Amino acid sequence: MIDTHCHLDKTEFDGDRDAALSHARAAGVTDVVVPAIGPDGWSALAAWAARTPGVHFGLGVHPQLLPDLADLEAALGRGRAVGVGECGLDGPSVEAGAPLDRQVAVLRGHLQLARRHALPVMLHCLRAHDALLALLEEEPLPAGGVLHSCSGSADQVRLYLRHGLHVSFAGPVTYERARKPLEAARAVPRDRLLLETDAPDQTPRPHRGRNEPAFLPAIAAAVASALGTTVADVDALTTANARALFRLPR
């Protein structure tokens, strides 16, 4: 099983990062993809991944931060990144002072770099789906990508699929009143489906407190139930999808 979006580099794991990774492996999670959210963490993340089997990383700038991208291409040029991101559009950040037009400009730069380096993108989108879909009409993604922690409807998912994106689901599929994310999961073709924890956030039920990659099986179980299949089937197909999208070694 592969956790395709997990922020193990964040400070919440500073005291037990290796232990959290060991717990994940004991739970059947063989690999994690850690998407950077800002330039300050790029070097440390790349160094940790280089010495830790099963840890892969993406390089990008979260839409809440909005710096320029002068250093991102150089960092991508050093190699080993499996994707560009986390990047995207964030509706709540508009209200907090990050204008949408600036977010779109920064995201456009990410997408251009993804094409230049032939890497998939890891897209964040919260309450900004119309703007993201409009941008994707202008910016093709030859190497594909993933809409992480899908918050859109089944109809929106179908629109994202037209752009070659995979769609990933996180803790909300396990929530007691989950409806929209489960309908969205059923709208995704099996060869485009991915799983993630988004740890340390979005803790799946029945767990509480800090999220971690060891909790991925709970998400797999919820998706399996929604699809009317087994956890083993969801594990096999999402693992194969993640390895193909991010070109991960076996």
Side-chain angles (χ1 to χ4, degrees):
M1 198 173 295
I2 296 177
D3 187 347
T4 62
H5 198 106
C6 172
H7 296 288
L8 269 176
D9 58 332
K10 293 186 77 171
T11 57
E12 287 89 338
F13 293 103
D14 282 353
D16 65 343
R17 185 168 289 109
D18 291 338
L21 192 57
S22 295
H23 296 158
R25 287 171 173 158
V29 180
T30 60
D31 296 74
V32 296
V33 178
V34 183
I37 62 169
D40 291 348
W42 290 346
S43 295
L45 175 56
W48 179 54
R51 65 177 182 267
T52 311
V55 173
H56 317 279
F57 67 95
L59 296 176
V61 182
H62 194 282
Q64 292 170 343
L65 301 181
L66 288 186
D68 64 52
L69 300 179
D71 297 327
L72 180 55
E73 183 161 19
L76 289 169
R78 289 192 280 274
R80 302 199 313 275
V82 300
V84 173
E86 181 176 356
C87 55
L89 301 178
D90 190 78
S93 291
V94 175
E95 302 159 10
L100 186 60
D101 60 348
R102 173 68 173 142
Q103 291 191 42
V104 168
V106 171
L107 177 55
R108 191 185 298 275
H110 280 86
L111 301 184
Q112 291 168 352
L113 287 172
R115 287 198 298 275
R116 194 171 304 157
H117 291 270
L119 289 170
V121 292
M122 290 175 271
L123 290 171
H124 167 103
C125 189
L126 182 59
R127 302 211 306 262
H129 291 287
D130 288 346
L132 179 54
L133 285 163
L135 180 59
L136 292 174
E137 290 289 341
E138 304 172 7
E139 300 284 353
L141 300 173
V146 54
L147 179 67
H148 108 87
S149 186
C150 177
S151 62
S153 66
D155 287 341
Q156 287 169 326
V157 161
R158 294 183 186 99
L159 295 175
Y160 282 114
L161 292 168
R162 295 180 186 176
H163 298 285
L165 289 171
H166 288 58
V167 183
S168 182
F169 294 90
V173 296
T174 70
Y175 296 171
E176 290 79 3
R177 296 184 179 180
R179 181 183 60 81
K180 187 168 77 168
L182 296 176
E183 291 175 351
R186 286 190 283 267
V188 180
R190 295 198 172 197
D191 63 351
R192 302 277 197 91
L193 185 67
L194 296 174
L195 302 177
E196 65 172 275
T197 59
D198 198 26
D201 302 317
Q202 301 197 82
T203 305
R205 306 293 184 262
H207 304 285
R208 294 290 188 273
R210 185 191 73 176
N211 194 8
E212 56 182 89
F215 300 161
L216 191 63
I219 297 165
V223 171
S225 178
L227 300 183
T229 188
T230 66
V231 173
D233 183 42
V234 167
D235 178 0
L237 69 92
T238 58
T239 295
N241 293 344
R243 291 202 186 281
L245 176 64
F246 294 113
R247 291 172 279 183
L248 305 182
R250 293 190 178 276

